[in-house]
Amino acid sequence: MSSNAKLPHWDMNAIYPGLESAEFEAGFQTAIAAIDALVEQFDAHGILLRETPPPIDEETRATFETILASYNAVAVQGHTLYAYLSNLISTDSFNESAQARLSELQRHYVKMGQLYTRLTAWLGSLDVEALIAASPLAEAHAFALRQAAELAQHLMSPEEEALAAQLRLTGSGAWAKLYNNYTSQITVPLDIAGQPPTLPITAVRNLAYNPDRAIRQAAYQAELDAWKRHALPIASALNSIKGELLTLAERRRWDSPLDIALFNNNTDHETLDAMLTAAREFFPDFRRYLRAKARVLGVPQLAWYDLFAPVGESKQTWEFPQARAFIEEQFGAYSDQLAALARRAFEEHWIDAEPRDGKRGGAFCAWMRGGESRILANFQPAYGGMGTLAHELGHAYHNLARAGCTYIQRQTPMTLAETASNFCEALIQEAALAQAPPEEQLAILEASLQDACQVIVDITSRFIFETEVFEKRAARELSAEEFSAIMLAAQRETYGDGLDPEQLHPYMWAVKPHYYTVTFYNFPYMFGLLFSLGLYAQYRENPSEFKERYDSLLAATGMADAATLAARFGINVRTPDFWRASLDIIRGDIDRFEALCERVNV
């Protein structure tokens, strides 16, 4: 298979045969009817804020168990339908039928958000600890109930919460949809020999991996020009989304948007401060890596467009079939269950790998139903492309591990959502390094360090950016130029002399879709990488004992806070020492990278 051969598209027909099918229409109407029936059930049982807390008697216990079981069942049903439509659009934003049906579903699905708010308020009225003691179902959902009781303290009035949920469709939700659709359709004119005259912006960004520096530089400049031309509506989206959040945070009595993000990620300021302290201490090591890469490339200092440049002289191109075979083999070396998951994903066409017009950039794994997922990638025939596949398959394995959980139990925060994905990447890296000659080892380490640098250094820059944006947006809207200036300052603070300060990327705020859907999406990725590295070190020390506990940890990521789950493996995430130990693993890779640079004399 050559690099130009057609890459696989995922099969969504296993979910529904098509938008025009009777099966889809029946599923759509059934989901809407189920939501409406759930509303009636909530009304009949008086599930809303109670001024006088009801006693935890047999009637209250039975009401809770009935309502929770119904909510879990309807939420799963609606999730599958929502994921189906969203995934169709993620690979083809020109699909007007899918866009229309998703918009129609969202109008009904807003009721689920309102119902969850009512359930939260009702639980906040109860003696949750007494309920947990009285009901086995409540005990199985104990963590979620305690979180709900705390969240209830940050709710507006029922009428205000209902209105906020409705307005989100035409507010932040609409702006996020505009961002995704608009950016997925941006095409970029090019003047690069051997390239088409125009390319989707995702394909232009992929040219950052090209070995020819002139092509990388030309693509970088073309990309920046494109973002500048399209910056106005994107900046409007970001202003509106962050402005809405600030307003709601104040009305819900949160101290800051960061406090909301920490609560949603089942973690705390102490843990975040410990992790960021260790990360900042480590910046000199990453700059050492970037300077070594500059020497390899023969330039005095890396520009932004050199960050993803390949190094080494690997003869392994990692075409898709080769990547698949290697992943299945190495997953099998870990466990039969992990290998079976990978085989199923490939054989049942869960993966959409081809970059194309109308398809969103990046990669993700979407849970569909039961233990079934779909994986979006923009595959490149290089080690990094294979690493991304392994990463997303790790998410699919995590989804499989939670297949026996209820909808509420499987709600995993981003801090813990990266646990299995990064672990699977580590499996692949170790195996690839073990059998590769020095030149290919250099290329593999480079791909790994690229990712680590993004997750530690660049993620910190994005955290700094979002922090300042919220501070300034509280006073007024910001222009596209101001967003870019904040981003550049954050990049200079974090990358330091590792990159040319005049060749950075001022439009990363426009590139990253997470800013438009999640508050402070950034630090959980760092948590995920470093937490999984710590777990991987324990796996290497005692594989059999680790495997006995690992799947149960994955299944429980929605049923305890991060510190509690980490403590099961003897990890204290509230001190910098754990994070420093995980970063030491990356330091070893940097040391090895520098030594290989000298050895292969590139």
Side-chain angles (χ1 to χ4, degrees):
M1 176 178 176
S2 72
S3 58
N4 294 323
K6 185 174 178 61
L7 291 164
H9 294 193
W10 56 26
D11 175 19
M12 299 299 294
N13 291 336
I15 310 299
Y16 295 108
L19 287 176
E20 307 304 321
S21 69
E23 292 87 344
F24 172 78
E25 191 59 35
F28 193 93
Q29 297 304 328
T30 299
I32 292 171
I35 292 171
D36 290 338
L38 189 60
V39 172
E40 293 178 1
Q41 193 176 32
F42 269 56
D43 291 343
H45 287 283
I47 305 301
L48 71 172
L49 180 67
R50 301 282 188 89
E51 292 185 6
T52 302
I56 305 302
D57 54 17
E58 180 60 25
E59 180 182 356
T60 300
R61 183 194 63 78
T63 296
F64 163 77
E65 292 182 349
T66 298
I67 289 296
L68 190 68
S70 296
Y71 181 88
N72 275 323
V74 175
V76 168
Q77 186 178 14
H79 170 86
T80 299
L81 188 64
Y82 204 101
Y84 173 76
L85 290 169
S86 298
N87 285 357
L88 290 181
I89 294 168
S90 69
T91 52
D92 181 11
S93 62
F94 298 104
N95 189 332
E96 294 182 1
S97 296
Q99 296 275 15
R101 297 314 298 266
L102 180 60
S103 177
E104 183 181 353
L105 178 63
Q106 287 172 326
R107 185 171 62 84
H108 294 280
Y109 209 69
V110 69
K111 297 173 188 176
M112 290 299 293
Q114 293 170 333
L115 291 177
Y116 186 74
T117 299
R118 288 175 59 178
L119 179 60
T120 298
W122 182 68
L123 289 170
S125 305
L126 303 180
D127 182 341
V128 167
E129 295 304 324
L131 180 62
I132 292 170
S135 165
L137 185 63
E139 184 179 11
H141 291 77
F143 177 71
L145 297 187
R146 292 179 178 122
Q147 289 287 90
E150 183 175 346
L151 183 60
Q153 307 307 309
H154 293 281
L155 291 179
M156 301 181 290
S157 71
E159 295 78 14
E160 288 173 316
E161 287 292 350
L163 180 60
Q166 289 179 312
L167 290 178
R168 186 180 183 278
L169 289 178
T170 52
S172 59
W175 283 110
K177 182 187 294 185
L178 170 70
Y179 169 83
N180 286 322
N181 292 337
Y182 185 75
T183 56
S184 72
Q185 296 181 20
I186 293 175
T187 56
V188 182
L190 293 177
D191 184 17
I192 301 176
Q195 296 294 328
T198 61
L199 280 175
I201 199 159
T202 52
V204 173
R205 285 184 53 75
N206 275 342
L207 291 175
Y209 297 89
N210 194 286
D212 188 327
R213 193 175 198 236
I215 291 177
R216 296 197 305 272
Q217 183 177 13
Y220 159 82
Q221 191 57 59
E223 181 200 348
L224 293 190
D225 291 344
W227 289 121
K228 184 175 182 179
R229 288 193 302 273
H230 295 278
L232 180 59
I234 301 174
S236 297
L238 191 58
N239 270 306
S240 299
I241 290 166
K242 300 308 184 190
E244 178 185 291
L245 182 67
L246 284 163
T247 299
L248 290 174
E250 181 179 1
R251 294 299 298 268
R252 289 172 173 150
R253 301 176 301 281
W254 290 101
D255 290 338
S256 72
L258 180 58
D259 287 291
I260 300 174
L262 290 169
F263 178 83
N264 289 340
N265 279 285
N266 299 349
T267 189
D268 50 43
H269 281 280
E270 188 177 4
T271 298
L272 177 63
D273 291 344
M275 182 179 70
L276 290 178
T277 294
R280 289 180 179 277
E281 292 172 356
F282 198 77
F283 284 174
D285 286 277
F286 274 117
R287 293 167 186 166
R288 176 165 60 93
Y289 149 68
L290 293 171
R291 288 192 294 269
K293 181 168 182 175
R295 292 194 298 271
V296 170
L297 296 177
V299 296
Q301 193 174 34
L302 292 184
W304 186 275
Y305 52 83
D306 296 318
L307 273 173
F308 305 107
V311 300
E313 297 181 358
S314 174
K315 297 178 181 179
Q316 174 65 278
T317 57
W318 297 109
E319 300 289 354
F320 193 87
Q322 296 167 298
R324 169 182 174 171
F326 191 79
I327 288 171
E328 289 185 5
E329 178 185 358
Q330 302 312 321
F331 280 13
Y334 173 80
S335 75
D336 292 339
Q337 294 92 329
L338 185 58
L341 179 279
R343 283 194 299 273
R344 184 182 178 195
F346 287 115
E347 291 172 0
E348 296 183 12
H349 306 288
W350 288 5
I351 300 170
D352 194 295
E354 182 192 33
R356 57 191 183 276
D357 199 15
K359 180 179 177 180
R360 62 160 283 180
F364 67 75
C365 177
W367 169 56
M368 298 299 299
R369 58 187 181 184
E372 188 174 344
S373 301
R374 289 295 183 276
I375 291 169
L376 180 142
N378 286 275
F379 184 79
Q380 290 295 302
Y383 174 80
M386 181 177 67
T388 297
L389 281 181
H391 180 101
E392 301 305 334
L393 285 165
H395 283 302
Y397 187 71
H398 195 168
N399 290 337
L400 179 65
R402 293 178 293 166
C405 299
T406 68
Y407 182 83
I408 286 178
Q409 287 173 332
R410 67 181 299 148
Q411 299 309 299
T412 295
M414 290 177 64
T415 39
L416 298 169
E418 298 298 316
T419 303
S421 55
N422 288 317
F423 186 88
C424 285
E425 268 198 274
L427 285 173
I428 293 298
Q429 177 181 323
E430 182 177 45
L433 286 171
Q435 65 184 46
E439 294 85 353
E440 291 184 8
Q441 290 179 33
L442 184 62
I444 292 166
L445 280 172
E446 160 57 15
S448 175
L449 290 172
Q450 276 182 23
D451 289 343
C453 187
Q454 287 293 292
V455 172
I456 308 299
V457 181
D458 205 71
I459 283 289
T460 304
S461 76
R462 298 178 219 169
F463 179 81
I464 293 169
F465 167 82
E466 196 164 4
T467 300
E468 186 168 349
V469 164
F470 273 121
E471 290 173 358
K472 293 183 180 299
R473 182 62 185 85
R476 61 173 176 82
E477 291 185 352
L478 303 176
S479 67
E481 290 75 14
E482 287 174 306
F483 284 133
S484 293
I486 296 170
M487 182 59 77
L488 285 174
Q491 289 171 354
R492 290 181 180 124
E493 179 180 342
T494 50
Y495 283 100
D497 63 4
L499 289 183
D500 182 345
E502 302 304 318
Q503 299 285 333
L504 299 173
H505 198 310
Y507 291 100
M508 286 304 292
W509 59 270
V511 172
K512 294 298 178 183
H514 308 72
Y515 287 125
Y516 302 83
T517 55
V518 182
T519 304
F520 282 104
Y521 80 93
N522 28 61
F523 72 82
Y525 283 97
M526 189 190 305
F527 186 110
L529 173 64
L530 297 179
F531 183 59
S532 62
L533 283 178
L535 290 177
Y536 192 76
Q538 292 197 9
Y539 160 64
R540 297 311 302 154
E541 289 177 8
N542 193 332
S544 59
E545 180 181 332
F546 177 88
K547 292 176 186 179
E548 290 176 0
R549 296 183 292 166
Y550 183 58
D551 284 2
S552 63
L553 170 71
L554 296 179
T557 50
M559 292 186 275
D561 62 61
T564 299
L565 289 171
R568 294 183 184 180
F569 284 82
I571 294 170
N572 183 356
V573 295
R574 294 191 173 107
T575 66
D577 289 343
F578 165 71
W579 306 106
R580 289 170 180 145
S582 292
L583 287 162
D584 278 341
I585 298 172
I586 300 175
R587 181 177 287 113
D589 285 347
I590 293 174
D591 293 342
R592 186 174 180 179
F593 178 81
E594 284 191 308
L596 283 168
C597 288
E598 297 297 327
R599 180 178 175 184
V600 301
N601 194 29
V602 294

